[in-house]
Amino acid sequence: MRILWRPFGFSRRLLKVENCRITESESLIPLTWTSLIQRLSRAPRIFLLGQRKRFSTMPETETNQRDSELFSPPSDVRGMTKLDRTAFKKTVTIPVLKARKEIVSKLMRSLKRAALQRPGIKRVIEDPEDEESRLIMLDPYKMFTDDSFEKAELSILRQLNVNPQISNYNLELTYENFKSEEILRAVLPEGQDVTSGFSRVGHIAHLNLRDHQLPFKHLIGQVMIDKNPGITSAVNKINIIDNTYRNFQMEVLSGEENMTTKVRENNYTYEFDFSKVYWNPRLSTEHSRITELLKPGDVLFDVFAGVGPFAIPVAKKNCTVFANDLNPESHKWLLHNCKLNKVDQKVKVFNLDGKDFLQGPVREELMQQLGPLSKERKHSVHIVMNLPAKAIEFLSAFKSLLDGQPCSHELLPTVHCYSFSKDANPAKDVQRRAGAVLGISLEACSSVHLVRNVAPNKEMLCITFQIPAAILYKNQTLNLENYEEPPLKRQRTDESLSEEKTQIASIT
């Protein structure tokens, strides 16, 4: 999932012409075009040309800032906590060009620069005084008089016999015409941040509201439903994920209370009760990354499988999958999703504690996979441990897990263990903590992948390494001199990890 709201600020730019100034009211609501032109006409002609050029080449961000001024909701909605859509009516004056209806289509192709570019507002409307004509909405920040047209535009107007005279039209805006950001900026206290995390999970909008937004929570939820087609329920997380089953308590802000939803991720379908299982749409790329590491015939042990976002794509690659989750609801939906995606014959599903899973089914299967006949096998064994808050603690289950003679080095299982870090050097922090649990140093024999920025100064990372035989097998002596770095991606330097962190933070 991606984040759908963005910071939305603006700065007013006051144009100075000699000793006169365009007032804010004139720049925000262009009701007095004549007055505006009179003031601009006092300046030398070269200034008007330069100003016109600047308007026509204004960057998109500045256009958005201007639109937030002209197309902002009425000021009296400030402080509203219960949504009243009728209170958002507002009239603005827009410049228009009159043209015969039969030439409008051809004319519009030549007026892309001059035409109004506002989503949700028709650029061509009927002329209330002449049914054979149409009115073309023009950009109020570019078009003031017939002199505002560029030469090429005037040439087209002459060819089509269109009078370049610009007139004004009073356009009524309603709730439907405003964007969600504009509505919330107008409603919430002035100066307060209106941004909020918004993840889409099927028909559910999952928000992370901040304290100052809570008095407006029901209004915010309804706005999210109104402004996002397909969203029928808006919920707010009201606690962190700290329980045994990795789900969080949530409050329905608006809409239906049905939390059973369906999502598509990487061409696979998942169904589940969002209130009872863990699902994070921001991990789609990570699910794909791990899936691409495995080849047909490989074996995957998914220790904390959830509803199957690792297990199901890997099983589709004709791999053998052992998937486990302690949460009974996750276990139920994992079975359901395996059938839904037609991989139920390739996935063995368990409902155990992670440690019991590792020391039970995983141990038994590894004894067979890495036994005397293992030299004949060409496939790899992978173990995914996606429980970032605690997964590193479960690494201790690998100590002396297997009996007998060690297998060859290249057949040793590869572990992908997830963790959070608030350390200044998160990669080394994760290596240090994982190594401390195993009783070895992992700095020279592991790779660390930055998954995403979870919060300010908090990263989610994945450390990947092969378990040394001296750790995995009983009665073995660890010889680090003979322990070579596994054929994984090269260990990332602090500089490359920092660069990736900056890139991810910029789009989160």
Side-chain angles (χ1 to χ4, degrees):
M1 187 238 68
R2 55 192 184 270
I3 303 297
L4 300 179
W5 300 4
R6 293 183 295 180
F8 199 83
F10 63 86
S11 60
R12 295 181 174 85
R13 296 169 32 142
L14 301 181
L15 308 178
K16 293 185 178 180
V17 183
E18 294 182 347
N19 294 323
C20 66
R21 173 181 294 183
I22 303 172
T23 65
E24 183 181 21
S25 60
E26 289 170 336
S27 64
L28 296 184
I29 306 177
L31 296 172
T32 54
W33 297 106
T34 304
S35 173
L36 180 60
I37 295 304
Q38 287 176 349
R39 288 172 180 255
L40 289 175
S41 64
R42 299 175 193 171
R45 186 66 174 173
I46 189 170
F47 175 87
L48 286 174
L49 291 174
Q51 186 63 50
R52 187 192 319 158
K53 181 178 180 181
R54 186 174 69 179
F55 276 131
S56 65
T57 60
M58 189 77 70
E60 181 181 356
T61 53
E62 294 190 14
T63 301
N64 289 339
Q65 291 171 355
R66 296 196 315 257
D67 282 354
S68 72
E69 301 169 359
L70 178 61
F71 295 103
S72 61
S75 59
D76 55 4
V77 301
R78 179 80 65 194
M80 178 186 296
T81 56
K82 183 177 181 181
L83 183 61
D84 178 6
R85 297 177 182 84
T86 63
F88 287 83
K89 290 183 179 179
K90 174 182 178 179
T91 300
V92 295
T93 301
I94 301 294
V96 294
L97 177 69
K98 183 175 181 177
R100 302 186 310 279
K101 63 181 182 180
E102 62 269 16
I103 66 168
V104 167
S105 296
K106 184 175 182 180
L107 183 59
M108 288 299 292
R109 290 194 290 269
S110 302
L111 294 181
K112 292 181 179 180
R113 180 199 69 88
L116 178 67
Q117 303 291 336
R118 171 74 183 183
I121 297 180
K122 293 182 179 180
R123 290 189 292 176
V124 179
I125 61 174
E126 294 183 1
D127 186 344
E129 299 178 355
D130 182 0
E131 62 180 15
E132 297 300 318
S133 298
R134 295 292 182 265
L135 299 179
I136 299 174
M137 298 275 187
L138 302 178
D139 189 329
Y141 292 100
K142 298 176 183 176
M143 311 305 295
F144 307 109
T145 68
D146 57 351
D147 191 54
S148 301
F149 288 106
E150 293 183 345
K151 289 184 178 180
E153 295 166 343
L154 287 172
S155 176
I156 294 295
L157 294 179
R158 284 193 295 269
Q159 291 177 27
L160 297 175
N161 195 27
V162 176
N163 186 343
Q165 181 178 356
I166 292 177
S167 56
N168 294 335
Y169 179 83
N170 291 329
L171 174 67
E172 183 179 77
L173 301 178
T174 65
Y175 175 81
E176 286 70 26
N177 298 122
F178 298 113
K179 305 172 187 176
S180 58
E181 300 99 323
E182 295 166 341
I183 292 171
L184 297 180
R185 182 165 296 282
V187 169
L188 269 64
E190 193 167 8
Q192 292 278 17
D193 183 12
V194 303
T195 61
S196 178
F198 175 176
S199 297
R200 181 164 185 165
V201 183
H203 68 277
I204 303 169
H206 170 216
L207 295 89
N208 293 302
L209 297 182
R210 300 171 183 174
D211 290 342
H212 71 271
Q213 297 167 333
L214 293 179
F216 307 90
K217 60 185 179 182
H218 297 298
L219 180 146
I220 293 173
Q222 188 58 55
V223 170
M224 292 302 100
I225 292 175
D226 291 345
K227 297 299 180 179
N228 295 278
I231 294 292
T232 59
S233 181
V235 302
N236 182 41
K237 183 174 70 174
I238 57 177
N239 74 330
I240 61 174
I241 301 173
D242 59 358
N243 59 22
T244 304
Y245 295 151
R246 297 184 72 202
N247 59 319
F248 50 79
Q249 295 180 354
M250 62 177 65
E251 176 186 15
V252 177
L253 303 177
S254 189
E256 62 185 29
E257 297 193 7
N258 175 25
M259 293 294 104
T260 300
T261 188
K262 178 187 290 187
V263 300
R264 289 280 291 176
E265 180 185 274
N266 302 325
N267 296 319
Y268 300 99
T269 301
Y270 302 90
E271 293 180 346
F272 48 85
D273 186 332
F274 185 53
S275 66
K276 296 179 179 178
V277 305
Y278 176 79
W279 178 267
N280 190 335
R282 295 184 179 93
L283 295 179
S284 171
T285 301
E286 184 62 12
H287 298 152
S288 295
R289 186 183 74 88
I290 294 297
T291 300
E292 291 173 0
L293 296 177
L294 281 82
K295 299 177 181 178
D298 286 351
V299 178
L300 173 69
F301 297 101
D302 193 349
V303 185
F304 312 104
V307 298
F310 283 116
I312 289 171
V314 170
K316 275 289 188 180
K317 297 184 72 171
N318 291 320
C319 296
T320 300
V321 178
F322 296 77
N324 172 74
D325 203 282
L326 177 61
N327 184 351
E329 281 289 322
S330 295
H331 177 260
K332 180 184 78 173
W333 290 106
L334 175 58
L335 287 168
H336 173 81
N337 289 325
C338 287
K339 292 181 180 179
L340 186 64
N341 290 278
K342 300 179 180 180
V343 295
D344 49 305
Q345 299 302 314
K346 300 175 184 178
V347 182
K348 296 180 181 180
V349 179
F350 300 85
N351 181 208
L352 301 169
D353 176 77
K355 184 176 181 181
D356 294 336
F357 176 63
L358 290 169
Q359 295 181 340
V362 174
R363 179 184 182 279
E364 293 173 7
E365 186 65 22
L366 286 180
M367 289 294 293
Q368 296 183 27
Q369 294 286 337
L370 306 181
L373 299 178
S374 63
K375 294 181 180 179
E376 302 176 6
R377 299 189 178 96
K378 301 297 183 182
H379 58 253
S380 301
V381 177
H382 294 257
I383 302 173
V384 171
M385 305 174 70
N386 184 22
L387 184 65
K390 297 183 178 180
I392 284 180
E393 300 172 14
F394 287 82
L395 294 177
S396 61
F398 292 118
K399 291 183 177 180
S400 301
L401 183 65
L402 305 183
D403 300 314
Q405 292 297 315
C407 66
S408 60
H409 172 77
E410 61 271 14
L411 296 179
L412 290 169
T414 298
V415 173
H416 310 277
C417 182
Y418 292 83
S419 181
F420 295 129
S421 177
K422 295 183 178 180
D423 195 85
N425 191 325
K428 287 189 176 180
D429 174 56
V430 170
Q431 289 175 326
R432 177 187 57 77
R433 290 191 285 119
V437 173
L438 292 171
I440 62 171
S441 173
L442 291 175
E443 290 193 16
C445 56
S446 66
S447 72
V448 176
H449 175 75
L450 178 61
V451 178
R452 70 186 189 97
N453 176 258
V454 178
N457 302 316
K458 184 178 181 181
E459 315 296 338
M460 179 180 175
L461 306 102
C462 177
I463 180 170
T464 297
F465 61 93
Q466 281 185 289
I467 310 172
I471 297 295
L472 189 61
Y473 287 87
K474 296 178 181 178
N475 304 318
Q476 297 295 314
T477 302
L478 182 64
N479 186 352
L480 291 178
E481 293 180 358
N482 296 325
Y483 182 52
E484 300 176 358
E485 183 174 352
L488 303 170
K489 287 186 177 180
R490 177 180 59 83
Q491 171 74 29
R492 299 186 179 199
T493 63
D494 296 345
E495 290 78 10
S496 66
L497 185 60
S498 176
E499 180 180 355
E500 183 177 5
K501 173 180 175 181
T502 300
Q503 293 172 347
I504 290 181
S506 67
I507 63 175
T508 300

